Amino acid sequence: MIPFLSLKDITAKYAEEIHEAVNRVVDSGWYLQGSENERFEQHYADYIGTKYCVGCANGLDALILIYRAYIELGILHRGDEVIVPANTYIASIMAIRENGLKAVLVEPDEQTLELDENKIEHAITSRTKSILLVHLYGRCAYTEKIAQLCQKYNLLLVEDNAQAHGCYYGKQRTGSIGDAAGHSFYPGKNLGAFGDGGAVTTGNKDLADCVRALANYGSQKKYVFKYHGRNSRLDELQAAVLDVKLRHLDEDNRLRQQVAKMYYDGINNPSITLPIRLDDKNNVYHLFPIFSNQRDALQKYLSDNGVQTLIHYPIPPHKQECYKEWNVLDFPITENLSKTELSLPISQVITSQQVEQVIDLLNKFEKLPNTTC
Ligand SMILES: *Cc1c(COP(=O)(O)O)cnc(C)c1O
């Protein structure tokens, strides 16, 4: 069987270093807010290219904390509008709404799968204060035009970098382009922990200080509470593990890019569409999405032949039960992507042989006539 992602194999690759790090933390007797967290925050800030990094409990919290801090600092106000891609993972939207801000969904571009720069301006109103730009699938979503719109309308640019650790825009890493960025270290992400983890990166000291306080019960000084905070911290074990994996991240992303190259060069079934190919610098291939009008049949065929795939994502946010008031809305591009998308196995541990096998199966897949099932 070719698994979608083998976390076991990824961990095994760095077993020695990871065991050393885990043992060090266990033996230290210090498990929260210590030197491991401090070291990882410094290393991750250096890696991303921002002055500040604040560890937190998960990627959703990272985004919640950023918007919450902007409200606490008086820069955003409840009811302000935030533009967000309609095809994002639901966490991006939850982070906006959790703060009493209004999420305004905008369609992606069909070719790039990222927020459509040409549809943003139409969605801007006098209450629009921010864009939450999601580098979905590991692809850089930032563009010159988005930069211009942020400047023209004085919008805060927040990056959701949960799927794009290590990706570049020009000479800058994603996560260092906007005013602030949220990162997730969910195990399956390009940089993944042994459980939940997240971080905020920013060049803004006031924001970093506020996020750090909010993540620690709203406290900057022990037992003195400045804000209505929450408890959202990155623990020492996760920080130690992440610090090991961060050292290998660029190399791991390069291996993903090699897999992607094989897919791009090898897949030639006319019934399968691949997203527009970006320069490797601009795509760290968190996922490798392909598109087919016979997606469900294709998924079953691959599964019958021992290849595990996933769908990102089968139900768009506006069609979810938790957002009933949005269910009547039409976002045809997003809806079509959700019906045709299939994510192929990709990681730093999948072998060339396995990738060839997947390509071979895809090229042998016969398009079914629309009338039969
Ligand atoms: C994974 C993910 C998140 C949330 O991260 P968690 O650590 O799972 O909370 C947010 N946005 C996007 C785009 C993601 O893929």
Side-chain angles (χ1 to χ4, degrees):
M1 211 261 290
I2 301 176
F4 180 73
L5 179 68
S6 172
L7 292 177
K8 199 173 161 176
D9 289 348
I10 291 174
T11 302
K13 196 171 169 192
Y14 307 118
E16 214 170 299
E17 284 173 273
I18 285 173
H19 285 140
E20 193 277 319
V22 168
N23 288 337
R24 183 178 69 236
V25 177
V26 170
D27 294 345
S28 77
W30 192 278
Y31 307 120
L32 268 175
Q33 293 182 298
S35 56
E36 300 288 343
N37 198 39
E38 215 170 290
R39 185 182 315 126
F40 173 69
E41 284 180 348
Q42 188 56 55
H43 287 164
Y44 196 62
D46 290 347
Y47 178 85
I48 293 295
T50 54
K51 200 145 181 208
Y52 307 100
C53 169
V54 182
C56 65
N58 55 65
L60 172 61
D61 274 9
L63 296 170
I64 288 176
L65 288 163
I66 291 168
Y67 279 110
R68 181 66 188 281
Y70 278 125
I71 291 171
E72 291 290 352
L73 295 171
I75 294 165
L76 291 181
H77 301 90
R78 299 198 191 269
D80 285 348
E81 294 174 10
V82 180
I83 287 173
V84 62
N87 62 327
T88 187
Y89 178 60
I90 198 124
S92 324
I93 294 163
M94 286 183 169
I96 297 167
R97 296 190 41 149
E98 163 98 9
N99 278 296
L101 300 164
K102 190 178 164 203
V104 176
L105 305 179
V106 172
E107 288 262 58
D109 177 296
E110 226 162 349
Q111 304 294 313
T112 68
L113 315 175
E114 307 299 325
L115 184 61
D116 187 341
E117 59 177 14
N118 296 314
K119 292 195 176 129
I120 296 172
E121 197 157 21
H122 186 69
I124 292 176
T125 73
S126 60
R127 303 235 48 182
T128 308
K129 294 289 150 53
S130 174
I131 296 177
L132 178 50
L133 189 64
V134 186
H135 303 294
L136 206 62
Y137 301 117
R139 304 166 65 93
C140 174
Y142 189 67
T143 67
E144 195 55 41
K145 178 149 188 186
I146 291 175
Q148 286 163 5
L149 288 169
C150 287
Q151 195 153 44
K152 180 171 172 191
Y153 294 98
N154 198 20
L155 306 177
L156 287 169
L157 182 67
V158 176
E159 296 174 78
D160 181 340
N161 203 48
Q163 300 192 0
H165 323 81
C167 184
Y168 277 98
Y169 174 81
K171 289 198 161 64
Q172 279 177 284
R173 300 250 195 206
T174 57
S176 73
I177 301 163
D179 296 283
H183 308 255
S184 163
F185 307 125
Y186 175 82
K189 301 288 161 89
N190 287 35
L191 179 59
F194 288 171
D196 279 314
V200 171
T201 54
T202 180
N204 179 331
K205 182 172 192 304
D206 293 341
L207 187 77
D209 287 347
C210 188
V211 164
R212 190 178 292 286
L214 285 168
N216 187 35
Y217 303 104
S219 170
Q220 284 169 329
K221 205 170 137 193
K222 203 160 190 184
Y223 304 129
V224 180
F225 302 95
K226 184 168 177 175
Y227 309 109
H228 296 271
R230 56 203 285 136
N231 176 0
S232 182
R233 300 180 295 218
L234 185 64
D235 67 65
E236 292 284 281
L237 267 174
Q238 301 305 344
V241 168
L242 288 166
D243 203 53
V244 169
K245 291 175 92 175
L246 179 60
R247 293 203 284 271
H248 301 284
L249 180 56
D250 282 342
E251 168 200 334
D252 286 345
N253 282 340
R254 263 196 298 281
L255 292 170
R256 284 175 184 269
Q257 287 156 349
Q258 282 172 17
V259 174
K261 182 179 188 320
M262 289 182 70
Y263 281 142
Y264 270 111
D265 291 346
I267 300 171
N268 58 25
N269 186 328
S271 76
I272 293 170
T273 313
L274 306 186
I276 233 171
R277 189 168 176 188
L278 301 178
D279 192 283
D280 275 352
K281 293 205 84 168
N282 309 119
N283 195 344
V284 290
Y285 295 98
H286 172 57
L287 297 168
F288 195 93
I290 63 170
F291 297 89
S292 161
N293 290 330
Q294 246 109 37
R295 189 264 314 275
D296 294 344
L298 178 58
Q299 184 172 40
K300 181 171 185 305
Y301 159 84
L302 289 172
S303 164
D304 290 347
N305 286 283
V307 177
Q308 193 188 17
T309 57
L310 292 177
I311 295 168
H312 298 90
Y313 298 91
I315 308 171
H318 71 283
K319 294 296 180 193
Q320 296 287 349
E321 194 176 343
C322 62
Y323 298 139
K324 268 208 168 60
E325 69 284 9
W326 279 348
N327 289 177
V328 294
L329 300 180
D330 286 320
F331 291 100
I333 294 172
T334 296
E335 284 159 40
N336 189 47
L337 292 176
S338 75
K339 286 185 190 111
T340 54
E341 196 273 349
L342 191 66
S343 298
L344 301 180
I346 189 164
S347 74
Q348 60 271 57
V349 292
I350 190 170
T351 65
S352 323
Q353 251 171 332
Q354 290 176 314
V355 179
E356 305 247 349
Q357 228 174 304
V358 176
I359 292 168
D360 192 48
L361 282 167
L362 287 170
N363 289 341
K364 285 186 181 139
F365 176 67
E366 302 225 4
K367 193 169 190 260
L368 304 168
N370 282 332
T371 45
T372 63
C373 259

